[in-house]
Amino acid sequence: MHTALEAHVRHSGLDHTLLRPNAFAANALQWAPQIHAGDTVRGPFAQAATAPIHEADIADVAARTLLDDTHKSAVHRLTGPHAVTTEQQIHAIGTALGRNLRFIDVPPEDIGPETFPHVPPQILPALLASFAETVGTEPEITTTVETVTGRPARTFDQWAHDHRDDFRTP
């Protein structure tokens, strides 16, 4: 889907810069209801490793590319600064909250739509398959945020700190 959209942009004749963020740190918000309910998060693939990017880094790169003509026709792959597993993300959120959160790894065949209510049920098998591919592999890590903005990408720990109110019990 994204490939087709990018092709339309490239062939439009308009100036453009393509941003390709990898894993979004904000996807961790899916765990907020479980964290509101207690100190345990259940889900698949505790050891799935990604390099989640903070949405503010995406915005900073986007702003910079709009202000600097040297990015015309560029394709920028965006990641966070280092790999973190699902379980490490849960612990980072717990640290930001001052709580001891734990992650219980649930086999993917036991995962239903209630675990990912924001995902259309017909897409869930493909999503789980993509998560499975991240177990035991090192994710792509780029320095694009630093190259474009002049400062390193924010860590997932920083994202968790910035979003701790999203995980506090309402």
Side-chain angles (χ1 to χ4, degrees), residues 5-55:
L5 293 173
E6 286 184 7
H8 287 298
V9 169
R10 277 194 196 96
H11 296 96
S12 71
L14 299 172
D15 288 339
H16 63 273
T17 303
L18 300 175
L19 302 184
R20 292 183 183 161
N22 205 332
F24 293 93
N27 286 341
L29 293 170
Q30 70 189 338
W31 300 313
Q34 291 187 66
I35 293 170
H36 292 158
D39 291 335
T40 302
V41 175
R42 291 172 172 76
F45 308 113
Q47 296 307 308
T50 59
I53 185 158
H54 195 301
E55 66 277 2

Side-chain angles (χ1 to χ4, degrees), residues 19 58-68:
L19 302 184
I58 299 169
D60 289 348
V61 170
R64 195 77 206 124
T65 64
L66 290 170
L67 298 171
D68 183 346

Side-chain angles (χ1 to χ4, degrees), residues 106-157:
V106 176
E109 59 272 11
D110 294 341
I111 296 297
E114 69 284 347
T115 305
F116 296 98
H118 61 288
V119 175
Q122 68 275 17
I123 294 177
L124 186 57
L127 179 69
L128 292 172
S130 72
F131 289 162
E133 292 175 6
T134 66
V135 176
T137 63
E138 284 296 315
E140 175 186 23
I141 297 175
T142 69
T143 58
T144 307
V145 172
E146 186 167 9
T147 300
V148 173
T149 67
R151 57 144 195 83
R154 294 166 178 93
T155 64
F156 187 83
D157 289 344

Side-chain angles (χ1 to χ4, degrees), residues 22-106:
N22 205 332
F24 293 93
N27 286 341
L29 293 170
Q30 70 189 338
W31 300 313
Q34 291 187 66
I35 293 170
H36 292 158
D39 291 335
T40 302
V41 175
R42 291 172 172 76
F45 308 113
Q47 296 307 308
T50 59
I53 185 158
H54 195 301
E55 66 277 2
D57 288 332
I58 299 169
D60 289 348
V61 170
R64 195 77 206 124
T65 64
L66 290 170
L67 298 171
D68 183 346
D69 286 345
T70 64
H71 300 279
K72 284 183 183 176
S73 301
V75 176
H76 291 311
R77 295 188 60 77
L78 306 175
T79 70
H82 57 79
V84 292
T85 66
T86 301
E87 190 169 41
Q88 289 168 331
Q89 290 179 48
I90 297 300
H91 291 301
I93 295 166
T95 299
L97 292 171
R99 291 169 53 191
N100 186 21
L101 300 180
R102 67 186 185 118
F103 186 80
I104 295 179
D105 203 352
V106 176

